[in-house]
Amino acid sequence: MAAVELTFDGEPLEALPGQSVAAALMASGRDSWRTTRGGGRARGVFCGIGACFDCLVVVNGLPDVRACQRAVSAGDQISTQRGAVLPAGEAQAQASAADGVQVVPVVVVGAGPAGMSAAVAAADAGSSVLLVDAAGSVGGQFNRQLPSEFRAGRPEKLQHGWRAFARLRDRIAADDKITHLTDTNVWAVEQGVRTRLWLQGGAADAAGRRVWAVETSALVLATGAFDRVLPFPGWDLPGVYSAGAAQALAKGQRIAVGRRVVVAGTGPFLLPVAESLVGVGAEVVALLEANRPSTVVKGWLTDPLVASSKLSEAATYATLLARKKIPFKHGRTVVAAHGTDRVEAVTVARLDANWKPIPGTEERLEVDAVCLGFGFTANLELAVSTRCTLGEGPDGGPAVLVDENQQTTTPGVFAAGELTGIGGAALAAAEGQVAGAAASQRAASTTTPSSSTGSPPSATSRVGDEGGASHGSPSQLDQPGEQMQALRRAVAKGKRFAAALAKAYPVRDGWLEWSRAETVVCRCEEVSRGEVEEAVGVRDVVGARSLKLSCRAGLGLCQGRVCGRNVAAISGVSSEHGRPVAQPVRLKDLAVAEILEDL
């Protein structure tokens, strides 16, 4: 595979075709390429999936490009982003003119296990489907794949359940009723007679990227979730990653986040993360589970048989840990990271039953990377924009309320997967199938014009040609036979698994004692815990919005995705999840597309 030639800060650099900018920079020995606007702190990859905006870099004169999301191109001129940077001259790309609004029978947002299953189920029921995803290929975070340019000989070795995933992937690619839009973000949603979604396609710095809209009477949201990370002194140093970032770089780019790595947090997800790190040559110094064995066992015993199918997978991980001599320690976690410009060591401490550090148990480990995961937080922006009612998931986090058909409280809007509660890929896939069938029935029962002004989303689009689901093909919901009964049983079992999982791996309030007044809690705006507490104690804070305006926590580019739940716990002020603009979109693109007047 011939290398791609580019430059970084004027120096020549080689990368592999298909590599992300972040992976290329990390492969060259760099772990930071941005400094913050306020304190000038070094930053690099943190979340690894485009949620946190820590890895911003300047590409071909255009700043604020997420290095973890943008693939390299020959001749790229990449440079460090120091603070706030304005675009250089004409380097900013031009958007194409608006294409008008196309009506689509069923739209599915997100192409992970839930979204893929929903798209296939809707197509099976006779509907034309538009499957929209920000990634370059289907699979989501669970079934993350190597870039096609890597020409992997044995991709099945990278993840569990590869054959089932590959069948679903190939089905989507071959189905004439499914149009899959890659590298496309839904940046806003409007509610009316139908649901209108505003899309942006193409890389942030790519010439010819487009902004356009589609409308649908049946929308399936399968937007997934991202890692929850709890703050402690030094957690904003380069070299501290979310567990998901470590796995994404390993599975999707074959890059190790460090040579000596500690994995810490809570939950079974830590095990495949450790496996992925070992697979790319990293030494996992320790795997630290914050909960005690008694807590984990007691949680699973609330429903002893629900996780029986996971026993063989657990045995595989146990064998790996034993073979690689990786210490697996319960009731311990990382409570501080040390280093000047990057992580050089961490402090590990034993925790009591409520996760408070036990004095005198501290231990220092020399590492160059730490991977953290304390459960997940659902991507709720689009659900809130469509006015879906939120409730509480099994883990105590916010989740979208749905009925037995995955219908939300907003007519025509369905939700599946981690949006409805963190429960894993099997539950997500089952919910996706139910949601897709229900969305198809909704499309069939709603008068949908066969077309509207404007051209389709792409030259090869197959969407909207039929004007809705085929009325000659009854949906799965119209015939609740064995298949639908099996799906409902799978969803019920998945929800039981989610409930037991939450009880086995709870997040205890003692984590609030890991940080100090000077500890940064909002990474984007560099707001400390002390500033948050001062805002609550001194100023007239009456809600999440006034808290943001008082101390700026949550006002940065990530809009509180990373810090929202943590700031809420520290301040006692409930967090908000409404973000009218769900993904960054450049004002110049909106102006060129001539759609501002329609918003």
Side-chain angles (χ1 to χ4, degrees), residues 444-583:
S445 63
T446 304
T447 302
T448 307
S450 61
S451 63
S452 61
T453 59
S455 58
S458 67
T460 60
S461 175
R462 300 181 292 267
V463 176
D465 299 332
E466 303 174 31
S470 169
H471 291 260
S473 301
S475 102
Q476 294 172 339
L477 297 183
D478 291 332
Q479 296 181 343
E482 293 183 6
Q483 183 180 9
M484 184 51 62
Q485 290 177 15
L487 282 177
R488 295 205 190 286
R489 286 195 298 268
V491 170
K493 182 178 179 180
K495 289 181 178 179
R496 286 170 50 203
F497 175 83
L501 177 71
K503 292 173 183 175
Y505 301 99
V507 174
R508 303 296 193 188
D509 292 339
W511 70 263
L512 290 166
E513 296 198 9
W514 303 354
S515 57
R516 301 190 290 264
E518 63 271 20
T519 302
V520 169
V521 292
C522 174
R523 300 170 66 96
C524 294
E525 294 297 306
E526 302 171 84
V527 180
S528 70
R529 174 175 180 163
E531 290 173 305
V532 171
E533 291 174 330
E534 180 186 4
V536 174
V538 176
R539 301 169 193 167
D540 187 18
V541 171
V542 295
R545 186 174 298 276
S546 61
L547 179 61
K548 287 181 181 181
L549 296 176
S550 296
C551 67
R552 300 194 60 78
L555 281 181
L557 279 170
C558 96
Q559 287 291 284
R561 290 178 180 86
V562 174
C563 72
R565 290 177 71 178
N566 297 337
V567 168
I570 290 169
S571 66
V573 178
S574 298
S575 58
E576 292 181 347
H577 307 284
R579 303 179 184 96
V581 178
Q583 292 289 334

Side-chain angles (χ1 to χ4, degrees), residues 53-79:
F53 298 86
D54 259 21
C55 67
L56 299 179
V57 69
V58 180
V59 180
N60 302 325
L62 188 70
D64 300 328
V65 176
R66 288 175 285 183
C68 69
Q69 299 293 288
R70 204 271 198 185
V72 297
S73 296
D76 277 344
Q77 297 179 23
I78 304 168
S79 56

Side-chain angles (χ1 to χ4, degrees), residues 159-504:
Q159 56 188 275
H160 300 277
W162 173 264
R163 290 183 180 178
F165 160 70
R167 286 195 297 269
L168 199 57
R169 176 200 61 191
D170 295 344
R171 163 67 195 281
I172 289 171
D175 197 316
D176 287 340
K177 289 186 177 297
I178 302 174
T179 298
H180 177 210
L181 292 182
T182 62
D183 301 308
T184 302
N185 287 300
V186 178
W187 60 270
V189 178
E190 296 173 309
Q191 283 295 106
V193 176
R194 289 184 292 262
T195 301
R196 174 178 290 193
L197 297 90
W198 289 102
L199 311 179
Q200 181 182 36
D205 64 322
R209 68 183 183 275
R210 303 167 56 238
V211 175
W212 75 100
V214 297
E215 289 186 349
T216 184
S217 57
L219 170 64
V220 179
L221 297 176
T223 48
F226 51 89
D227 295 86
R228 185 182 183 189
V229 178
L230 305 176
F232 51 74
W235 78 302
D236 59 332
L237 281 170
V240 176
Y241 303 89
S242 74
Q247 189 180 57
L249 285 163
K251 289 174 64 174
Q253 297 288 324
R254 306 307 289 159
I255 293 291
V257 295
R259 294 181 297 276
R260 286 176 52 84
V261 186
V262 61
V263 178
T266 189
F269 180 55
L270 301 181
L271 294 167
V273 170
E275 179 188 51
S276 296
L277 287 167
V278 169
V280 290
E283 176 189 357
V284 178
V285 176
L287 179 58
L288 307 176
E289 166 58 57
N291 280 296
R292 296 179 172 186
S294 58
T295 301
V296 176
V297 171
K298 184 178 178 180
W300 286 123
L301 287 178
T302 60
D303 201 340
L305 300 179
V306 75
S308 58
S309 62
K310 301 290 184 180
L311 292 178
S312 61
E313 189 175 333
T316 300
Y317 293 131
T319 301
L320 172 72
L321 296 178
R323 188 176 75 250
K324 294 295 182 179
K325 298 180 179 179
I326 299 172
F328 186 15
K329 300 181 179 181
H330 284 78
R332 290 174 173 82
T333 199
V334 174
V335 294
H338 312 286
T340 304
D341 296 319
R342 67 171 329 280
V343 170
E344 299 169 7
V346 296
T347 295
V348 173
R350 288 182 59 194
L351 305 176
D352 67 15
N354 196 44
W355 286 22
K356 293 181 181 180
I358 300 174
T361 65
E362 296 84 1
E363 177 187 4
R364 187 180 176 98
L365 299 178
E366 304 296 322
V367 298
D368 59 0
V370 54
C371 306
L372 305 166
F374 294 89
F376 300 91
T377 298
N379 271 313
L380 294 166
E381 292 86 359
L382 300 184
V384 172
S385 293
T386 53
R387 301 183 181 89
C388 299
T389 300
L390 302 183
E392 189 175 281
D395 64 347
V400 178
L401 295 180
V402 293
D403 65 13
E404 63 176 5
N405 295 326
Q406 302 302 127
Q407 166 75 61
T408 70
T409 55
T410 300
V413 179
F414 304 82
E418 311 292 37
L419 273 180
T420 68
I422 307 302
L427 173 58
E431 288 186 337
Q433 288 181 273
V434 174
S440 180
Q441 186 179 58
R442 166 81 181 189
S445 63
T446 304
T447 302
T448 307
S450 61
S451 63
S452 61
T453 59
S455 58
S458 67
T460 60
S461 175
R462 300 181 292 267
V463 176
D465 299 332
E466 303 174 31
S470 169
H471 291 260
S473 301
S475 102
Q476 294 172 339
L477 297 183
D478 291 332
Q479 296 181 343
E482 293 183 6
Q483 183 180 9
M484 184 51 62
Q485 290 177 15
L487 282 177
R488 295 205 190 286
R489 286 195 298 268
V491 170
K493 182 178 179 180
K495 289 181 178 179
R496 286 170 50 203
F497 175 83
L501 177 71
K503 292 173 183 175

